[in-house]
Amino acid sequence: MTQKILLLSVSAGAGHMRAAQAIEAYAARDDHGGGGPAAQALHLDVMDFVTPAFRKLYTDVYIKLVNKAPALWGYLYHATHDAPRDSSMQRLRRAVERLNTRALMAQIAAFQPDAIICTHFLPAELLSRALRQQQLACPVWVQVTDFDLHRMWVHEQMQGYFAATDEVAFRMRHEGIPAERIHVTGIPIMPAFAQAPGRVQSAQAFGLDPQRTTILLMGGGAGLGSLETVAARLLALPGDFQLIVLAGKNAAALAALQALAGQYPGRLLAQGFTSEVERLMACADLVITKPGGLTTSECLALGLPMIVNSPIPGQEERNADYLLEQGVALKAFDAVTLEYRVRLLLDHPEQLQSMRAKALALGRPRAALDVLAQVLRADAVLQ
């Protein structure tokens, strides 16, 4: 009998959603040896089941804070981590969450999952209460999506936790999670990153020269300037390299980048939103990116050295610290530092190669499959 897995995430930043989508993608595959999909998986965004006011608080306000007032977000990140569980602030937050998520609980009851995996702390907190009150019978698992652990991820009644690293697992044990409930799997990324797209074929598909050093710029960042400004500064550097810039859904930035590409024939590839990020990464020797848990996990899976820029105070700062400590990334806090770091790596290809080897050693391209396998094994035992 096919097991039913419910994946719960929150669209506050893309990483939580992408982790759930990665597990869902593996569940749908029929190459697990069972002659069919590994499980029937349903992925829900918790924000689809709350009031507009609550959605604005959890998504719009979050995005505005991290973009316009990152220092305030950093303060809130640390304050909520350090606040006692029985503080008035924490009790008020939990009460508001319960009032606004009744529709979600009804959807869970309708699907009747055999197991639930949460890739955001909000559904984990909601379901912890439901389990305590015996309103939910199936096991609930939690996938932490950064190289750090915030206390808001830690809840009673959870069947198990998935950690990115041994250090995150250590922090989980410190927070009182039993060691036997902790599994170090990495952060889930899509199956495409486990297949290592070929550089030559990928480069030729995008009109790039596979023999030339290639830099991939993903997103802008406070302190570095707009995408087109950063791209122009990089292209002015000495050296024979190509530059790929991903503008996502920013149409204005894409248009400006395409105009800039006309000034540098054969050196700049500007891309809007794409579902082929892994193929573009396969073309690159170096990635400039913000240090989100999912993006950096994708880079590690493909052995890509990074220059991380403008981390969000809190979780991204912790991610950046981990990557720097492991020797797979450098950090740029402004445009001048970025230029220096790029020059340094272009002038010292042996350092770039060392970083690449370390990244490959850290990468966990099959993390999503390992998470799914653990949940399915445990569910089979429980049944």
Side-chain angles (χ1 to χ4, degrees), residues 67-315:
N67 287 328
K68 304 295 184 182
L72 176 57
W73 169 254
Y75 168 78
L76 292 172
Y77 182 90
H78 294 293
T80 52
H81 176 79
D82 296 332
R85 291 187 179 277
D86 60 350
S87 68
S88 57
M89 177 178 70
Q90 296 285 25
R91 289 199 302 270
L92 175 61
R93 177 178 58 79
R94 288 193 290 268
V96 171
E97 289 168 350
R98 290 197 297 271
L99 287 172
N100 285 279
T101 52
R102 291 174 180 169
L104 172 66
M105 297 306 297
Q107 180 65 39
I108 293 173
F111 183 61
Q112 295 186 325
D114 294 302
I116 298 174
I117 305 173
C118 302
T119 62
H120 189 278
F121 54 81
L122 171 59
E125 181 169 293
L126 296 170
L127 298 184
S128 174
R129 180 176 183 271
L131 287 164
R132 281 198 310 273
Q133 297 186 349
Q134 298 185 336
Q135 297 172 345
L136 183 69
C138 73
V140 179
W141 302 75
V142 179
Q143 170 68 61
V144 178
T145 55
D146 286 296
F147 297 102
D148 183 39
L149 180 70
H150 190 286
R151 194 173 290 167
M152 288 178 69
W153 286 91
V154 181
H155 302 288
E156 298 176 350
Q157 312 293 327
M158 300 294 101
Q159 180 69 29
Y161 278 79
F162 299 108
T165 66
D166 289 331
E167 182 176 350
V168 174
F170 180 86
R171 293 180 66 84
M172 288 177 175
R173 294 192 295 273
H174 178 74
E175 292 294 337
I177 300 172
E180 64 272 14
R181 294 183 178 236
I182 300 170
H183 308 275
V184 180
T185 56
I187 298 174
I189 55 177
M190 295 296 285
F193 289 92
Q195 297 165 359
R199 177 182 177 116
V200 173
Q201 185 178 12
S202 297
Q204 290 175 345
F206 290 104
L208 297 168
D209 182 352
Q211 302 303 319
R212 293 172 77 184
T213 299
T214 305
I215 300 172
L216 174 59
L217 172 61
M218 303 177 66
L224 296 187
S226 65
L227 277 175
E228 58 269 27
T229 300
V230 177
R233 186 168 190 135
L234 291 174
L235 289 166
L237 297 178
D240 180 27
F241 64 87
Q242 303 167 123
L243 178 64
I244 306 169
V245 185
L246 301 188
K249 297 180 180 179
N250 189 333
L254 180 59
L257 286 164
Q258 289 171 338
L260 180 65
Q263 302 174 33
Y264 294 90
R267 293 197 61 201
L268 171 59
L269 172 64
Q271 289 276 298
F273 179 79
T274 176
S275 59
E276 297 184 299
V277 173
E278 72 281 355
R279 296 184 68 197
L280 290 164
M281 283 187 174
C283 301
D285 299 284
L286 172 67
V287 175
I288 302 168
T289 181
K290 289 179 66 61
L294 269 289
T295 297
T296 54
S297 293
E298 292 167 352
C299 290
L300 293 176
L302 296 182
L304 274 175
M306 291 165 265
I307 297 178
V308 295
N309 68 79
S310 306
I312 298 169
Q315 69 270 33

Side-chain angles (χ1 to χ4, degrees), residues 356-368:
R356 182 177 184 84
K358 292 175 182 177
L360 277 172
L362 284 181
R364 291 179 177 264
R366 295 166 62 87

Side-chain angles (χ1 to χ4, degrees), residues 213-215 234 236-241 285-286 307 330 337-355:
T213 299
T214 305
I215 300 172
L234 291 174
L237 297 178
D240 180 27
F241 64 87
D285 299 284
L286 172 67
I307 297 178
L330 303 178
T337 311
L338 175 64
E339 179 179 336
Y340 176 81
R341 305 293 192 210
V342 172
R343 284 176 177 263
L344 175 70
L345 293 177
L346 291 179
D347 290 343
H348 296 86
E350 72 283 357
Q351 183 174 349
L352 203 58
Q353 185 58 37
S354 173
M355 293 170 68

Side-chain angles (χ1 to χ4, degrees), residues 29-101:
R29 289 166 61 128
D30 61 1
D31 57 355
H32 301 276
Q40 179 186 349
L42 174 65
H43 175 209
L44 298 178
D45 178 2
V46 174
M47 292 298 101
D48 289 337
F49 299 89
V50 300
T51 64
F54 194 69
R55 185 182 306 113
K56 190 173 186 65
L57 175 68
Y58 251 85
T59 57
D60 294 359
V61 172
Y62 166 77
I63 292 169
K64 287 179 181 177
L65 278 177
V66 298
N67 287 328
K68 304 295 184 182
L72 176 57
W73 169 254
Y75 168 78
L76 292 172
Y77 182 90
H78 294 293
T80 52
H81 176 79
D82 296 332
R85 291 187 179 277
D86 60 350
S87 68
S88 57
M89 177 178 70
Q90 296 285 25
R91 289 199 302 270
L92 175 61
R93 177 178 58 79
R94 288 193 290 268
V96 171
E97 289 168 350
R98 290 197 297 271
L99 287 172
N100 285 279
T101 52

